[in-house]
Amino acid sequence: MSEDYSDVVKQAKEYYDSYDADEFYYRVWGGEDFHLGIYEHEDEPIFDASRRTVQTIADQVTLNENTRVVDIGAGYGGAARFIASQYGCKVSCLNLSERENERNRQKNREQNLDHLIEVIDGSFESLPYEDASFDVVWSEDAILHSGDKESVVKEVARILKKGGSFVFTDPMQADDCPEGVIDPILERINLDSMGSVKLYRELAAKNGLKEVNVIDLAKYLPMHYDRVRRELESRYDEIIGIISKEYVDNMIRGLVRWVEGGRNGYLNWALMHFRKE
């Protein structure tokens, strides 16, 4: 229940359930997915780059009709629909935002995938699943919104089957990020700190998850946020007819901070794969 969520999780839920945020991510960030993209060139469509991220993650694990996957922080469910349609696996989408979950369910019905995908309202700090339920726990750029990442990794380890994979991406601070330099970004996402590759490695090891692979994707972080900024600015007049001007202007300023943080080497983005021993 939402009343049991931590304050940080409640703030994230309130934000993503807002009309402005929902319309922005749906109309500007890609509709199917709103995570970071892996770009072949800086002007590539956001959707294409985002879908390449999904495929890159899928390539790390074994997926077939017998694979049970949970996507924690699933957003609109684009990744779930992709892997369900391509590989036939069953996917549970766990996500905070009721607005996003309704769009997810609608898209699943439209694409005749609702028999393979379930959508559950909930927080990944306390996963509503039995022990050893899943072959793969998947997440894209969502865990940063948790103020208790240790609980998230502990819960992931609990619901994974032995030999199962935890594969995810997350925007993070660099391991050597100087203190205070990303405070404007942290303030915007209502956090005191971000995760890091070092932190996730420590939490994984503590919870019986062995490192399989860590892929450095840091160069794409500023590229992606700048691509979204340019998309938003090019459609500015159209978008402020749908979303509040205040939200759009604040978003542009926030995107600029992410770009600067990435270009200065203060921020990181990586694909991490751990396996339950």
Side-chain angles (χ1 to χ4, degrees):
M1 299 294 290
S2 61
E3 59 265 26
D4 298 326
Y5 295 162
S6 67
D7 288 342
V8 170
V9 171
K10 286 179 180 177
Q11 289 171 335
K13 175 175 170 53
E14 181 179 353
Y15 172 73
Y16 285 108
D17 268 339
S18 70
Y19 172 84
D20 280 347
D22 179 57
E23 290 293 326
F24 166 72
Y25 289 107
Y26 186 71
R27 295 177 182 274
V28 178
W29 205 290
E32 286 283 330
D33 307 290
F34 59 95
H35 48 76
L36 276 66
I38 296 174
Y39 288 79
E40 290 187 341
H41 57 84
E42 63 182 14
D43 294 321
E44 187 173 20
I46 295 168
F47 176 87
D48 293 351
S50 296
R51 186 44 50 89
R52 188 173 296 110
T53 303
V54 175
Q55 183 65 70
T56 301
I57 297 172
D59 289 342
Q60 304 302 307
V61 294
T62 299
L63 298 171
N64 55 50
E65 64 275 8
N66 297 316
T67 310
R68 192 170 182 215
V69 181
V70 58
D71 184 349
I72 58 173
Y76 297 126
R81 282 185 292 280
F82 178 80
I83 62 175
S85 62
Q86 294 295 312
Y87 304 98
C89 48
K90 292 185 177 180
V91 187
S92 181
C93 291
L94 187 285
N95 195 57
L96 278 174
S97 170
E98 294 172 19
R99 281 183 181 268
E100 293 169 4
N101 290 344
E102 281 307 307
R103 287 193 189 271
N104 189 352
R105 294 182 184 105
Q106 180 180 351
K107 285 178 174 287
N108 294 338
R109 291 191 294 268
E110 290 172 352
Q111 297 181 31
N112 296 317
L113 291 169
D114 50 330
H115 65 293
L116 292 176
I117 303 171
E118 65 173 357
V119 182
I120 295 176
D121 301 340
S123 166
F124 42 54
E125 291 181 355
S126 180
L127 295 169
Y129 304 106
E130 296 181 358
D131 296 357
S133 299
F134 292 96
D135 302 292
V136 176
V137 176
W138 173 303
S139 185
E140 293 180 73
D141 306 342
I143 301 174
L144 80 157
H145 290 297
S146 171
D148 187 3
K149 295 175 178 60
E150 183 167 4
S151 289
V152 176
V153 177
K154 183 178 180 180
E155 280 288 272
V156 167
R158 179 183 65 79
I159 68 170
L160 267 178
K161 298 177 182 178
K162 186 176 181 179
S165 290
F166 178 30
V167 60
F168 67 103
T169 58
D170 209 37
M172 300 168 286
Q173 62 190 54
D175 286 343
D176 59 353
C177 178
E179 187 174 351
V181 297
I182 61 170
D183 283 354
I185 294 173
L186 293 174
E187 182 180 356
R188 180 171 176 80
I189 55 178
N190 299 308
L191 291 174
D192 296 325
S193 64
M194 297 177 74
S196 64
V197 169
K198 180 181 178 182
L199 174 67
Y200 286 124
R201 279 175 164 151
E202 291 173 351
L203 294 177
K206 183 178 179 179
N207 288 280
L209 301 175
K210 183 178 180 180
E211 182 177 324
V212 177
N213 200 13
V214 173
I215 301 175
D216 181 5
L217 300 171
K219 70 178 182 180
Y220 298 110
L221 184 145
M223 188 182 297
H224 178 84
Y225 282 102
D226 192 57
R227 180 68 184 84
V228 174
R229 177 194 61 79
R230 289 185 289 115
E231 178 75 11
L232 188 54
E233 289 183 343
S234 70
R235 298 170 57 194
Y236 186 84
D237 290 341
E238 168 202 346
I239 297 301
I240 62 171
I242 302 168
I243 303 170
S244 71
K245 184 177 184 299
E246 179 184 10
Y247 179 92
V248 173
D249 291 344
N250 284 336
M251 177 58 70
I252 291 172
R253 287 192 289 269
L255 291 166
V256 169
R257 292 192 184 105
W258 281 91
V259 172
E260 291 173 348
R263 288 176 176 170
N264 288 331
Y266 302 146
L267 298 176
N268 192 9
W269 185 48
L271 191 166
M272 286 162 278
H273 181 191
F274 299 96
R275 182 171 294 127
K276 185 174 181 179
E277 298 184 299

